[in-house]
Amino acid sequence: MTETASRRSEPPAPPKTFSIQTKRAAIQALRVMIACTVTYGLSQLLNLQQGYWAVFTVLIVMQNSVGATAGMAVDRLVATVAGAVLGGVAVFLTPHQPLPIGIALICVVGIASFVSMREPRLRNAGLTAAIVMLTHSQAVPVEVFVIDRIAEITLGGVIGVLASLVILPTRSRTVVLDRFASALDVMAQILRTFAAAAEKGEAVSATEANIGLRQSLVAAEALLTDAQRERALWLARQGISDAIPRSLWRIRNDMTYVSHLLEAPFPAEVVAALGPQAAQVMRSQADFAQACGKALRDGSEIDSERLSEADSALEAAFEAFQNSKAAQSIGFRESGRLFGLDFTLRRLRQNFLDLADRIRESQVT
Protein backbone atom coordinates (compact mmCIF):
# COMPACT_ATOMS: atom_id res chain seq x y z
CA MET A 1 0.00 0.00 0.00
CA THR A 2 1.39 3.43 -0.98
CA GLU A 3 0.83 6.52 1.12
CA THR A 4 0.94 9.85 -0.65
CA ALA A 5 2.62 12.41 1.57
CA SER A 6 1.65 15.24 -0.72
CA ARG A 7 -1.91 14.89 0.58
CA ARG A 8 -1.20 13.99 4.18
CA SER A 9 1.56 16.56 4.75
CA GLU A 10 -0.42 19.64 3.78
CA PRO A 11 -0.80 22.00 6.74
CA PRO A 12 -4.26 21.99 8.26
CA ALA A 13 -6.38 25.01 7.51
CA PRO A 14 -5.77 27.57 10.27
CA PRO A 15 -8.86 28.35 12.35
CA LYS A 16 -10.76 31.51 11.57
CA THR A 17 -8.63 32.20 8.51
CA PHE A 18 -11.30 34.39 6.97
CA SER A 19 -11.71 36.50 10.08
CA ILE A 20 -7.93 36.94 10.42
CA GLN A 21 -7.62 38.09 6.81
CA THR A 22 -10.61 40.38 7.25
CA LYS A 23 -9.04 41.91 10.36
CA ARG A 24 -5.76 42.53 8.55
CA ALA A 25 -7.59 44.12 5.62
CA ALA A 26 -9.57 46.35 7.97
CA ILE A 27 -6.41 47.47 9.76
CA GLN A 28 -4.73 48.29 6.46
CA ALA A 29 -7.78 50.22 5.32
CA LEU A 30 -7.71 52.18 8.57
CA ARG A 31 -4.04 53.02 8.12
CA VAL A 32 -4.57 54.22 4.54
CA MET A 33 -7.63 56.29 5.45
CA ILE A 34 -5.87 58.05 8.33
CA ALA A 35 -2.72 58.61 6.28
CA CYS A 36 -4.70 60.07 3.37
CA THR A 37 -6.68 62.31 5.73
CA VAL A 38 -3.53 63.68 7.36
CA THR A 39 -1.78 64.12 4.01
CA TYR A 40 -4.71 65.94 2.44
CA GLY A 41 -5.07 68.19 5.48
CA LEU A 42 -1.37 69.10 5.48
CA SER A 43 -1.35 69.75 1.74
CA GLN A 44 -4.22 72.21 2.23
CA LEU A 45 -2.60 73.78 5.29
CA LEU A 46 0.70 74.22 3.47
CA ASN A 47 -1.12 75.46 0.36
CA LEU A 48 0.65 73.00 -1.92
CA GLN A 49 -0.23 73.68 -5.54
CA GLN A 50 -0.53 70.02 -6.49
CA GLY A 51 -1.05 68.38 -3.12
CA TYR A 52 -2.69 65.40 -4.76
CA TRP A 53 0.81 64.11 -5.51
CA ALA A 54 1.27 63.59 -1.79
CA VAL A 55 -2.03 61.72 -1.53
CA PHE A 56 -1.14 59.58 -4.54
CA THR A 57 2.17 58.74 -2.87
CA VAL A 58 0.42 57.53 0.27
CA LEU A 59 -1.78 55.22 -1.81
CA ILE A 60 1.26 53.90 -3.68
CA VAL A 61 3.65 53.30 -0.78
CA MET A 62 1.29 51.96 1.90
CA GLN A 63 1.94 48.22 2.23
CA ASN A 64 0.90 45.63 4.82
CA SER A 65 4.10 45.92 6.90
CA VAL A 66 6.41 48.64 8.15
CA GLY A 67 9.44 47.39 6.22
CA ALA A 68 7.56 47.02 2.94
CA THR A 69 6.08 50.52 3.28
CA ALA A 70 9.46 52.06 4.14
CA GLY A 71 11.10 50.30 1.20
CA MET A 72 8.41 51.47 -1.19
CA ALA A 73 8.61 55.03 0.15
CA VAL A 74 12.39 55.17 -0.27
CA ASP A 75 12.20 53.77 -3.79
CA ARG A 76 9.42 56.18 -4.65
CA LEU A 77 11.41 59.17 -3.36
CA VAL A 78 14.59 58.16 -5.20
CA ALA A 79 12.68 57.66 -8.46
CA THR A 80 10.84 60.96 -7.98
CA VAL A 81 14.00 62.95 -7.40
CA ALA A 82 15.66 61.39 -10.44
CA GLY A 83 12.60 61.82 -12.65
CA ALA A 84 11.81 65.36 -11.48
CA VAL A 85 15.39 66.50 -12.04
CA LEU A 86 15.52 64.85 -15.46
CA GLY A 87 12.17 66.33 -16.47
CA GLY A 88 13.10 69.74 -15.05
CA VAL A 89 16.34 69.84 -17.02
CA ALA A 90 14.45 68.89 -20.19
CA VAL A 91 11.88 71.65 -19.60
CA PHE A 92 14.63 74.18 -18.92
CA LEU A 93 16.50 73.34 -22.14
CA THR A 94 13.51 72.84 -24.44
CA PRO A 95 11.58 75.65 -26.17
CA HIS A 96 7.97 75.69 -25.00
CA GLN A 97 6.51 74.50 -28.29
CA PRO A 98 4.67 71.23 -29.04
CA LEU A 99 7.24 69.68 -31.40
CA PRO A 100 10.38 70.33 -29.30
CA ILE A 101 8.55 69.23 -26.15
CA GLY A 102 7.41 66.03 -27.88
CA ILE A 103 10.95 65.23 -29.06
CA ALA A 104 12.38 65.96 -25.61
CA LEU A 105 9.68 63.83 -23.99
CA ILE A 106 10.56 60.84 -26.17
CA CYS A 107 14.25 61.21 -25.36
CA VAL A 108 13.61 61.59 -21.63
CA VAL A 109 11.33 58.55 -21.30
CA GLY A 110 13.78 56.52 -23.38
CA ILE A 111 16.66 57.42 -21.07
CA ALA A 112 14.55 56.75 -17.98
CA SER A 113 13.38 53.38 -19.30
CA PHE A 114 16.94 52.33 -20.08
CA VAL A 115 18.14 53.31 -16.61
CA SER A 116 15.18 51.60 -14.88
CA MET A 117 16.08 48.31 -16.57
CA ARG A 118 19.50 48.54 -14.91
CA GLU A 119 18.15 49.89 -11.62
CA PRO A 120 14.58 48.66 -10.93
CA ARG A 121 13.99 51.10 -8.05
CA LEU A 122 13.96 53.90 -10.68
CA ARG A 123 11.09 52.36 -12.65
CA ASN A 124 8.81 55.34 -11.84
CA ALA A 125 11.38 57.98 -12.80
CA GLY A 126 10.16 58.09 -16.41
CA LEU A 127 6.57 58.64 -15.27
CA THR A 128 7.60 61.47 -12.97
CA ALA A 129 9.72 63.10 -15.67
CA ALA A 130 6.86 62.89 -18.17
CA ILE A 131 4.38 64.42 -15.68
CA VAL A 132 6.80 67.27 -14.91
CA MET A 133 7.24 68.01 -18.61
CA LEU A 134 3.55 67.82 -19.46
CA THR A 135 2.11 69.67 -16.45
CA HIS A 136 4.70 72.42 -15.93
CA SER A 137 3.33 75.93 -16.28
CA GLN A 138 5.46 78.75 -17.67
CA ALA A 139 4.18 80.94 -14.87
CA VAL A 140 6.15 78.88 -12.35
CA PRO A 141 9.97 78.70 -12.45
CA VAL A 142 11.20 75.24 -13.34
CA GLU A 143 13.29 74.84 -10.20
CA VAL A 144 10.36 75.79 -7.97
CA PHE A 145 8.09 73.34 -9.79
CA VAL A 146 10.59 70.50 -9.37
CA ILE A 147 11.21 71.26 -5.69
CA ASP A 148 7.47 71.35 -5.02
CA ARG A 149 7.00 67.93 -6.60
CA ILE A 150 9.82 66.44 -4.54
CA ALA A 151 8.43 68.02 -1.37
CA GLU A 152 4.95 66.61 -2.05
CA ILE A 153 6.27 63.11 -2.71
CA THR A 154 8.42 63.30 0.41
CA LEU A 155 5.43 64.41 2.49
CA GLY A 156 3.33 61.49 1.27
CA GLY A 157 6.14 58.99 1.82
CA VAL A 158 6.90 60.18 5.36
CA ILE A 159 3.24 60.11 6.38
CA GLY A 160 2.83 56.64 4.86
CA VAL A 161 5.78 55.27 6.84
CA LEU A 162 4.64 56.96 10.07
CA ALA A 163 1.11 55.58 9.64
CA SER A 164 2.49 52.05 9.18
CA LEU A 165 4.77 52.52 12.17
CA VAL A 166 2.20 53.99 14.57
CA ILE A 167 -1.23 52.62 13.62
CA LEU A 168 -1.40 48.97 14.75
CA PRO A 169 1.98 48.26 13.12
CA THR A 170 2.84 44.97 11.45
CA ARG A 171 6.58 44.39 11.47
CA SER A 172 8.18 42.81 8.42
CA ARG A 173 10.39 40.80 10.76
CA THR A 174 7.31 39.28 12.39
CA VAL A 175 5.79 38.42 9.01
CA VAL A 176 8.98 36.73 7.76
CA LEU A 177 9.54 34.75 10.96
CA ASP A 178 5.93 33.55 10.86
CA ARG A 179 6.45 32.39 7.24
CA PHE A 180 9.58 30.49 8.24
CA ALA A 181 7.72 28.98 11.20
CA SER A 182 4.89 27.87 8.90
CA ALA A 183 7.45 26.19 6.64
CA LEU A 184 8.80 24.33 9.67
CA ASP A 185 5.28 23.17 10.54
CA VAL A 186 4.99 21.72 7.04
CA MET A 187 8.37 20.03 7.44
CA ALA A 188 7.16 18.47 10.69
CA GLN A 189 4.09 17.02 8.99
CA ILE A 190 6.14 15.60 6.12
CA LEU A 191 8.59 14.01 8.57
CA ARG A 192 5.73 12.38 10.49
CA THR A 193 4.43 10.98 7.23
CA PHE A 194 7.89 9.56 6.50
CA ALA A 195 8.01 8.09 10.02
CA ALA A 196 4.69 6.29 9.60
CA ALA A 197 5.80 4.84 6.25
CA ALA A 198 9.20 3.72 7.59
CA GLU A 199 7.64 2.06 10.61
CA LYS A 200 5.06 0.15 8.58
CA GLY A 201 7.35 -0.68 5.66
CA GLU A 202 5.21 1.25 3.19
CA ALA A 203 6.23 3.31 0.19
CA VAL A 204 5.68 7.05 0.37
CA SER A 205 5.85 9.95 -2.09
CA ALA A 206 6.24 13.57 -1.01
CA THR A 207 7.00 15.19 -4.35
CA GLU A 208 4.10 17.62 -4.31
CA ALA A 209 4.61 18.46 -0.65
CA ASN A 210 8.29 19.22 -1.26
CA ILE A 211 7.41 21.42 -4.22
CA GLY A 212 4.96 23.32 -2.04
CA LEU A 213 7.59 23.65 0.67
CA ARG A 214 10.04 25.04 -1.85
CA GLN A 215 7.53 27.63 -3.01
CA SER A 216 6.85 28.61 0.60
CA LEU A 217 10.56 29.16 1.30
CA VAL A 218 11.00 31.19 -1.90
CA ALA A 219 8.08 33.44 -0.90
CA ALA A 220 9.46 33.90 2.62
CA GLU A 221 12.91 34.79 1.29
CA ALA A 222 11.34 37.42 -0.97
CA LEU A 223 9.93 39.13 2.13
CA LEU A 224 13.27 38.97 3.93
CA THR A 225 14.44 42.07 2.02
CA ASP A 226 11.69 44.13 3.67
CA ALA A 227 12.77 42.97 7.13
CA GLN A 228 16.41 43.79 6.41
CA ARG A 229 15.46 47.24 5.11
CA GLU A 230 13.32 47.79 8.19
CA ARG A 231 16.38 47.20 10.36
CA ALA A 232 18.65 49.28 8.10
CA LEU A 233 16.29 52.27 8.42
CA TRP A 234 16.28 51.95 12.24
CA LEU A 235 12.59 51.02 12.24
CA ALA A 236 13.28 47.76 14.07
CA ARG A 237 15.74 46.76 16.78
CA GLN A 238 16.25 43.17 15.74
CA GLY A 239 17.19 41.70 12.41
CA ILE A 240 16.98 38.22 10.92
CA SER A 241 20.08 36.16 10.31
CA ASP A 242 20.61 35.28 6.64
CA ALA A 243 21.72 31.87 7.87
CA ILE A 244 18.15 30.93 8.88
CA PRO A 245 16.84 30.52 5.32
CA ARG A 246 20.07 28.78 4.31
CA SER A 247 19.58 26.24 7.09
CA LEU A 248 15.94 25.76 6.08
CA TRP A 249 16.97 25.09 2.49
CA ARG A 250 19.48 22.47 3.60
CA ILE A 251 16.81 20.76 5.69
CA ARG A 252 14.37 20.85 2.80
CA ASN A 253 16.98 19.33 0.45
CA ASP A 254 17.71 16.52 2.94
CA MET A 255 14.00 15.80 3.26
CA THR A 256 13.72 15.60 -0.52
CA TYR A 257 16.46 12.96 -0.53
CA VAL A 258 14.72 11.01 2.26
CA SER A 259 11.57 11.10 0.15
CA HIS A 260 13.45 9.52 -2.77
CA LEU A 261 14.83 6.79 -0.49
CA LEU A 262 11.36 5.93 0.80
CA GLU A 263 9.61 5.85 -2.57
CA ALA A 264 9.99 2.06 -2.49
CA PRO A 265 9.48 0.00 0.70
CA PHE A 266 12.48 -1.51 2.46
CA PRO A 267 12.70 -5.32 2.86
CA ALA A 268 10.74 -6.78 5.76
CA GLU A 269 13.89 -7.70 7.73
CA VAL A 270 15.12 -4.08 7.52
CA VAL A 271 11.76 -2.75 8.65
CA ALA A 272 11.63 -5.15 11.56
CA ALA A 273 15.15 -4.29 12.72
CA LEU A 274 15.28 -0.54 12.07
CA GLY A 275 11.79 0.71 11.19
CA PRO A 276 10.65 1.75 14.70
CA GLN A 277 13.98 3.43 15.52
CA ALA A 278 14.14 5.33 12.21
CA ALA A 279 10.52 6.38 12.68
CA GLN A 280 11.26 7.66 16.17
CA VAL A 281 14.19 9.71 14.85
CA MET A 282 11.96 11.36 12.25
CA ARG A 283 9.23 12.01 14.81
CA SER A 284 11.75 13.62 17.15
CA GLN A 285 12.98 15.75 14.27
CA ALA A 286 9.38 16.71 13.51
CA ASP A 287 8.90 17.77 17.14
CA PHE A 288 12.16 19.71 16.96
CA ALA A 289 11.02 21.45 13.77
CA GLN A 290 7.85 22.60 15.51
CA ALA A 291 9.87 23.75 18.52
CA CYS A 292 12.04 25.83 16.19
CA GLY A 293 8.90 27.28 14.61
CA LYS A 294 7.54 28.18 18.03
CA ALA A 295 10.84 29.86 18.92
CA LEU A 296 10.65 31.94 15.74
CA ARG A 297 7.14 33.08 16.63
CA ASP A 298 7.48 33.81 20.34
CA GLY A 299 11.18 33.60 21.20
CA SER A 300 10.83 30.47 23.35
CA GLU A 301 13.80 28.27 24.22
CA ILE A 302 14.78 25.29 22.06
CA ASP A 303 15.82 22.10 23.82
CA SER A 304 18.50 20.61 21.57
CA GLU A 305 18.78 17.49 23.74
CA ARG A 306 15.44 16.18 22.53
CA LEU A 307 17.13 14.78 19.41
CA SER A 308 19.80 12.77 21.24
CA GLU A 309 17.80 9.87 22.68
CA ALA A 310 16.19 8.81 19.41
CA ASP A 311 19.49 9.12 17.54
CA SER A 312 21.24 6.92 20.07
CA ALA A 313 18.57 4.24 19.72
CA LEU A 314 18.86 4.24 15.92
CA GLU A 315 22.65 4.12 16.09
CA ALA A 316 22.56 1.09 18.39
CA ALA A 317 19.95 -0.68 16.24
CA PHE A 318 21.89 0.05 13.05
CA GLU A 319 25.11 -1.32 14.52
CA ALA A 320 23.33 -4.46 15.68
CA PHE A 321 21.75 -4.95 12.26
CA GLN A 322 25.10 -4.62 10.49
CA ASN A 323 26.41 -7.58 12.51
CA SER A 324 23.33 -9.72 11.94
CA LYS A 325 22.64 -12.44 9.34
CA ALA A 326 19.71 -10.40 8.03
CA ALA A 327 22.12 -7.68 6.84
CA GLN A 328 23.93 -10.23 4.70
CA SER A 329 20.72 -11.34 3.00
CA ILE A 330 19.76 -7.97 1.55
CA GLY A 331 21.13 -6.89 -1.80
CA PHE A 332 23.68 -4.21 -2.61
CA ARG A 333 21.03 -1.74 -3.75
CA GLU A 334 19.04 -2.05 -0.55
CA SER A 335 22.21 -1.71 1.50
CA GLY A 336 23.00 1.51 -0.35
CA ARG A 337 19.52 2.88 0.35
CA LEU A 338 19.80 1.95 4.01
CA PHE A 339 23.19 3.60 4.46
CA GLY A 340 21.90 6.62 2.54
CA LEU A 341 18.91 6.92 4.89
CA ASP A 342 21.11 6.64 7.97
CA PHE A 343 23.54 9.27 6.64
CA THR A 344 20.77 11.69 5.63
CA LEU A 345 18.99 11.42 8.98
CA ARG A 346 22.28 12.24 10.70
CA ARG A 347 22.76 15.22 8.43
CA LEU A 348 19.19 16.34 9.06
CA ARG A 349 19.91 16.28 12.78
CA GLN A 350 22.97 18.46 12.33
CA ASN A 351 21.10 20.91 10.12
CA PHE A 352 18.28 21.17 12.66
CA LEU A 353 20.82 21.88 15.41
CA ASP A 354 22.46 24.49 13.20
CA LEU A 355 19.04 26.07 12.59
CA ALA A 356 18.43 26.25 16.34
CA ASP A 357 21.75 28.08 16.79
CA ARG A 358 20.89 30.55 14.04
CA ILE A 359 17.49 31.22 15.63
CA ARG A 360 19.16 31.96 18.95
CA GLU A 361 21.54 34.35 17.22
CA SER A 362 18.64 36.12 15.53
CA GLN A 363 16.85 36.55 18.85
CA VAL A 364 19.74 38.51 20.34
CA THR A 365 20.78 40.40 17.20
Side-chain angles (χ1 to χ4, degrees):
M1 178 179 178
T2 302
E3 294 285 349
T4 305
S6 57
R7 287 195 300 268
R8 295 182 55 183
S9 59
E10 291 179 355
K16 301 181 180 179
T17 300
F18 179 78
S19 62
I20 292 174
Q21 293 177 345
T22 301
K23 180 180 178 181
R24 290 175 180 171
I27 291 174
Q28 179 66 4
L30 177 65
R31 292 192 194 109
V32 173
M33 291 167 63
I34 293 176
C36 285
T37 300
V38 173
T39 303
Y40 179 77
L42 284 177
S43 67
Q44 294 297 311
L45 183 64
L46 298 174
N47 195 29
L48 298 178
Q49 296 299 314
Q50 292 180 308
Y52 55 80
W53 279 51
V55 177
F56 289 166
T57 299
V58 169
L59 294 173
I60 291 172
V61 305
M62 289 288 287
Q63 305 295 309
N64 62 356
S65 69
V66 176
T69 299
M72 187 69 75
V74 171
D75 289 350
R76 169 76 169 163
L77 179 58
V78 171
T80 296
V81 171
V85 170
L86 182 61
V89 170
V91 169
F92 183 78
L93 297 177
T94 304
H96 196 71
Q97 298 174 4
L99 182 59
I101 290 177
I103 295 175
L105 178 64
I106 294 172
C107 294
V108 164
V109 297
I111 294 171
S113 297
F114 175 82
V115 173
S116 67
M117 290 297 294
R118 305 298 299 272
E119 184 58 53
R121 71 189 311 188
L122 296 177
R123 59 184 176 274
N124 290 322
L127 175 62
T128 302
I131 292 176
V132 167
M133 295 182 67
L134 296 174
T135 61
H136 171 254
S137 171
Q138 286 185 301
V140 181
V142 176
E143 62 274 14
V144 174
F145 188 82
V146 170
I147 292 173
D148 284 348
R149 301 297 78 75
I150 294 174
E152 289 155 0
I153 297 299
T154 302
L155 176 65
V158 169
I159 293 176
V161 173
L162 289 176
S164 292
L165 190 62
V166 174
I167 305 169
L168 301 173
T170 300
R171 300 286 182 178
S172 295
R173 182 178 188 275
T174 303
V175 174
V176 174
L177 292 180
D178 185 68
R179 291 291 187 91
F180 286 153
S182 297
L184 281 163
D185 290 340
V186 175
M187 289 177 178
Q189 291 190 344
I190 296 175
L191 284 168
R192 290 195 176 97
T193 302
F194 289 164
E199 191 170 38
K200 298 175 183 177
E202 297 174 342
V204 64
S205 174
T207 302
E208 293 182 15
N210 280 315
I211 291 174
L213 182 57
R214 179 183 183 280
Q215 293 171 342
S216 176
L217 289 175
V218 169
E221 277 193 305
L223 297 174
L224 186 59
T225 302
D226 293 334
Q228 292 170 334
R229 184 173 286 182
E230 190 176 87
R231 175 74 184 280
L233 294 174
W234 300 92
L235 298 175
R237 294 182 179 180
Q238 293 177 305
I240 301 177
S241 171
D242 290 335
I244 290 179
R246 289 199 296 268
S247 296
L248 289 171
W249 276 113
R250 288 197 296 269
I251 292 170
R252 184 260 173 187
N253 292 339
D254 286 342
M255 290 175 56
T256 300
Y257 187 58
V258 172
S259 176
H260 292 327
L261 292 173
L262 296 178
E263 283 180 346
F266 278 99
E269 53 270 30
V270 173
V271 174
L274 300 173
Q277 291 83 359
Q280 186 55 40
V281 167
M282 287 185 273
R283 290 191 181 102
S284 67
Q285 291 176 349
D287 292 341
F288 193 80
Q290 288 192 305
C292 289
K294 188 175 186 299
L296 286 172
R297 289 189 173 103
D298 58 25
S300 58
E301 291 292 328
I302 305 172
D303 181 12
S304 297
E305 296 300 323
R306 66 172 62 197
L307 293 176
S308 301
E309 184 177 347
D311 286 336
S312 299
L314 177 60
E315 183 178 354
F318 193 81
E319 184 176 353
F321 180 75
Q322 285 182 288
N323 298 322
S324 67
K325 293 182 179 180
Q328 300 174 6
S329 65
I330 63 175
F332 179 78
R333 181 176 178 276
E334 297 301 332
S335 296
R337 288 176 61 210
L338 185 56
F339 276 98
L341 180 62
D342 178 65
F343 174 79
T344 307
L345 290 179
R346 290 172 185 269
R347 190 169 58 188
L348 256 176
R349 177 184 186 275
Q350 187 56 49
N351 285 332
F352 271 121
L353 292 175
D354 180 69
L355 173 64
D357 290 338
R358 303 293 80 78
I359 292 174
R360 295 188 188 99
E361 291 174 0
S362 185
Q363 289 171 346
V364 300
T365 300

